Amino acid sequence: MQPVSLHSLSELERASLRELALYQLQEKLLVGDLSLSKVRPKGSKSIRQKLESFSKEKKDCSPQTFGIPLCRVIANDRANRQLQETVKSSRRLCVEVEETVTNFRAQMQKRSPLGRGCLLVPYEVFPEEPHSPDFPDHNSSWSQRRGAMSVDCITELSGNSSKLLEALQLSHPHELDPRRNLGKKKMLSLNPITWQVPRIVDRCCKHIETYGLQTVGIFRVGSSKKRVQQLREEFDHGLDVFLDEHQSVHDVAALLKEFLRDMPDSLIPSELYAAFLSTASMEGPPQLAVLQLLLFLLPPCHSDTLHRLLQFLSKVARHAENSWGPDGQEIPGNKMTVSNLATIFGPNILQKEKPGEKDAGAMNLEDSTAIILVVQRLIEHYQTLFMVSSETQHDILRRLFQTDPDVIDYLLRRKFNTVLSTESEDSREEHTPIPMPDQTLESNSLSELYSNVSFLNLNVGI
């Protein structure tokens, strides 16, 4: 196995990884009597529960963005996006019907040369049939194609088209079997869940990455309170806000900071505050190993949003120093080093108490310094921290072999096909033929797959 991104793991594997990380942290005495239910946002629903109640939510769902839990923001974004897609679809249908009727009436004036009042209705009057799934149009999106579709391609779909597939991929094959569910917790998906990043965070990051990487003093220079308030109200009212070159980079930067500041639940739950701060006294690989285990404990919505934010801050920091363009002209840097960014965003990412609670604003100098150091390490090493090593993947499969042995075959075959797909792409670049997936799977029977992962038969006391 090769190291993989945390976000490529299935929902079931991520749940097992959280349990594994908690066990290892407790073994190292880095966290005390902590349960995963405490880390989970208070009052939040699982993603499956959100989908099940989606039809009810979209009727009375408030599009609010600021000052509410992160999971609620994402649910509002999903409901608002679905509503917008429905309206757009209705408008397109009305235009198509009107155009068809107009064309048909025009043809009624043209009589057939065969007589008897027959009408010649051109082929274009009728909507064009989509391409066959055997001959897909590569210029069209996945959402415009028919036929079977892998749930691994769900990130390529539009929000509206992915709704059904998102619900399908969150269903376990045995979930409908009542005998398996007696006395058991709900089954988890065997496929990755979609990225859960609030629309406002992603759009602010993209705007600054496009227009503001060379802006000197970004996040430090003041902004227009009136324009920021207007943007805030537009997001809160569910408007489809587009941030283009006409928007001030400083206004967008201030909007992003306000969103993170006003979140009632910080990106890193307060239950993990002390554990994260304890890593400030560590150095080198041991520090990164503990930070990685702590990140594995985060709920998916917090983990995904934190990853997007760290990715963005790392890109901003890479443009901190002056550089030289291809024509020899000096390009000024934004002066926002990793240390400066950690100083600004640290208190919003790591909070001891939630905003509004007693002594929430009080923070001693020692804690403040530790927060800056920890967030600095997160920005510098975010790429490796959100990767899952092959050894950890082995440990996950060991645990699942004891608790859910019937899912091992599916998970192994999915990983095996992913490796084949990667090798196929590399091989096409080198113009080297490789075996077809079906042929390879025939030669690698189920028993051979299990023999190649003999570690599954080991007894694991966790």
Side-chain angles (χ1 to χ4, degrees):
M1 292 186 185
Q2 299 295 325
V4 298
S5 168
L6 169 65
H7 309 93
S8 68
L9 296 183
S10 68
E11 185 183 14
L12 180 62
E13 290 173 294
R14 288 185 74 165
S16 181
L17 176 60
R18 294 182 71 194
E19 295 174 357
L20 179 65
L22 179 59
Y23 171 82
Q24 294 181 0
L25 288 168
Q26 289 175 338
E27 194 176 41
K28 297 175 184 292
L29 301 179
L30 293 172
V31 294
D33 184 18
L34 179 68
S35 64
L36 294 177
S37 60
K38 293 182 179 179
V39 178
R40 184 174 175 177
K42 188 176 182 180
S44 66
K45 298 180 180 179
S46 68
I47 188 170
R48 185 184 287 102
Q49 290 172 324
K50 294 175 189 174
L51 287 174
E52 290 174 349
S53 60
F54 178 78
S55 59
K56 299 178 182 179
E57 290 177 352
K58 69 179 182 180
K59 295 180 181 179
D60 56 0
C61 176
S62 170
Q64 188 176 354
T65 298
F66 287 80
I68 59 176
L70 184 62
C71 59
R72 184 69 254 169
V73 177
I74 295 172
N76 287 351
D77 285 346
R78 182 181 290 113
N80 190 50
R81 184 172 62 246
Q82 177 72 6
L83 179 61
Q84 291 176 353
E85 289 295 334
T86 302
V87 172
K88 291 179 182 178
S89 178
S90 299
R91 290 175 178 173
R92 285 195 299 267
L93 181 60
C94 291
V95 172
E96 290 173 1
V97 171
E98 183 179 358
E99 183 179 356
T100 301
V101 172
T102 301
N103 292 338
F104 185 75
R105 287 176 175 174
Q107 293 302 322
M108 290 181 65
Q109 301 175 1
K110 299 179 181 179
R111 295 294 180 176
S112 168
L114 299 179
R116 297 184 180 180
C118 296
L119 298 178
L120 286 178
V121 182
Y123 178 76
E124 288 76 14
V125 169
F126 301 99
E128 183 180 355
E129 281 293 319
H131 294 276
S132 166
D134 296 329
F135 300 93
D137 180 7
H138 295 287
N139 294 325
S140 64
S141 66
W142 278 104
S143 59
Q144 296 171 328
R145 305 178 190 174
R146 288 183 176 180
M149 187 182 302
S150 169
V151 292
D152 291 332
C153 300
I154 195 169
T155 54
E156 300 178 19
L157 299 170
S158 65
N160 185 39
S161 304
S162 66
K163 178 55 57 181
L164 176 59
L165 289 182
E166 186 176 3
L168 290 176
Q169 73 162 346
L170 293 173
S171 299
H172 189 282
H174 302 287
E175 192 170 10
L176 300 179
D177 186 353
R179 293 173 300 175
R180 293 181 53 86
N181 293 330
L182 289 176
K184 286 191 174 183
K185 297 181 180 179
K186 67 178 182 67
M187 302 298 289
L188 299 176
S189 168
L190 300 184
N191 292 287
I193 59 178
T194 55
W195 279 67
Q196 301 182 54
V197 179
R199 178 178 52 130
I200 185 173
V201 172
D202 191 52
R203 291 194 176 179
C204 286
C205 291
K206 285 181 178 178
H207 178 272
I208 297 174
E209 289 170 344
T210 304
Y211 305 107
L213 291 179
Q214 272 77 41
T215 302
V216 179
I218 187 173
F219 297 115
R220 283 190 166 179
V221 176
S223 58
S224 168
K225 292 184 179 180
K226 183 178 180 180
R227 290 195 299 265
V228 173
Q229 182 63 28
Q230 181 179 357
L231 288 173
R232 177 172 176 145
E233 291 176 357
E234 289 176 354
F235 274 103
D236 261 344
H237 285 84
L239 301 180
D240 196 10
V241 184
F242 289 98
L243 303 175
D244 52 24
E245 67 274 10
H246 301 295
Q247 300 288 346
S248 166
V249 173
H250 297 297
D251 292 345
V252 176
L255 186 71
L256 178 60
K257 287 194 297 182
E258 281 194 16
F259 173 78
L260 296 174
R261 182 197 64 196
D262 293 350
M263 281 177 52
D265 51 339
S266 58
L267 285 181
I268 295 178
S270 57
E271 289 79 8
L272 298 176
Y273 176 85
F276 269 92
L277 255 62
S278 67
T279 63
S281 59
M282 305 177 184
E283 293 182 359
Q287 182 189 38
L288 298 181
V290 173
L291 282 175
Q292 186 178 57
L293 291 175
L294 290 171
L295 290 175
F296 289 163
L297 295 181
L298 301 182
C301 59
H302 288 248
S303 174
D304 294 354
T305 305
L306 179 60
H307 180 276
R308 180 65 179 101
L309 180 63
L310 294 175
Q311 179 188 50
F312 160 69
L313 295 179
S314 176
K315 193 168 186 178
V316 172
R318 289 198 298 270
H319 291 78
E321 304 297 333
N322 295 348
S323 59
W324 300 92
D327 55 353
Q329 184 179 4
E330 185 177 11
I331 302 175
N334 56 45
K335 311 303 181 186
M336 296 305 297
T337 62
V338 173
S339 178
N340 291 337
L341 293 171
T343 303
I344 293 174
F345 283 90
N348 292 326
I349 295 176
L350 269 169
Q351 298 179 13
K352 188 173 184 179
E353 288 91 8
K354 298 177 183 178
E357 293 186 357
K358 185 178 179 180
D359 299 330
M363 181 187 302
N364 57 44
L365 181 60
E366 184 178 352
D367 279 7
S368 179
T369 303
I371 288 175
I372 295 173
L373 290 175
V374 171
V375 175
Q376 186 172 337
R377 293 294 177 270
L378 293 177
I379 297 173
E380 293 171 339
H381 302 281
Y382 83 93
Q383 289 179 307
T384 56
L385 290 175
F386 284 89
M387 295 293 290
V388 183
S389 66
S390 57
E391 292 79 7
T392 302
Q393 294 179 67
H394 291 169
D395 292 337
I396 293 172
L397 290 176
R398 287 194 190 105
R399 294 176 61 85
L400 293 179
F401 186 70
Q402 292 184 339
T403 58
D404 299 88
D406 53 335
V407 306
I408 295 296
D409 176 48
Y410 175 83
L411 293 176
L412 285 176
R413 288 184 182 276
R414 186 164 65 84
K415 292 178 182 294
F416 188 66
N417 288 332
T418 302
V419 173
L420 282 179
S421 176
T422 304
E423 291 178 351
S424 176
E425 294 177 0
D426 296 341
S427 197
R428 279 197 296 269
E429 294 177 359
E430 299 174 1
H431 305 286
T432 304
I434 66 165
M436 294 298 292
D438 291 340
Q439 298 172 348
T440 308
L441 285 176
E442 287 180 4
S443 62
N444 291 273
S445 64
L446 179 60
S447 59
E448 289 174 336
L449 281 173
Y450 279 126
S451 65
N452 289 333
V453 286
S454 58
F455 59 85
L456 292 176
N457 295 318
L458 297 177
N459 292 324
V460 182
I462 59 176

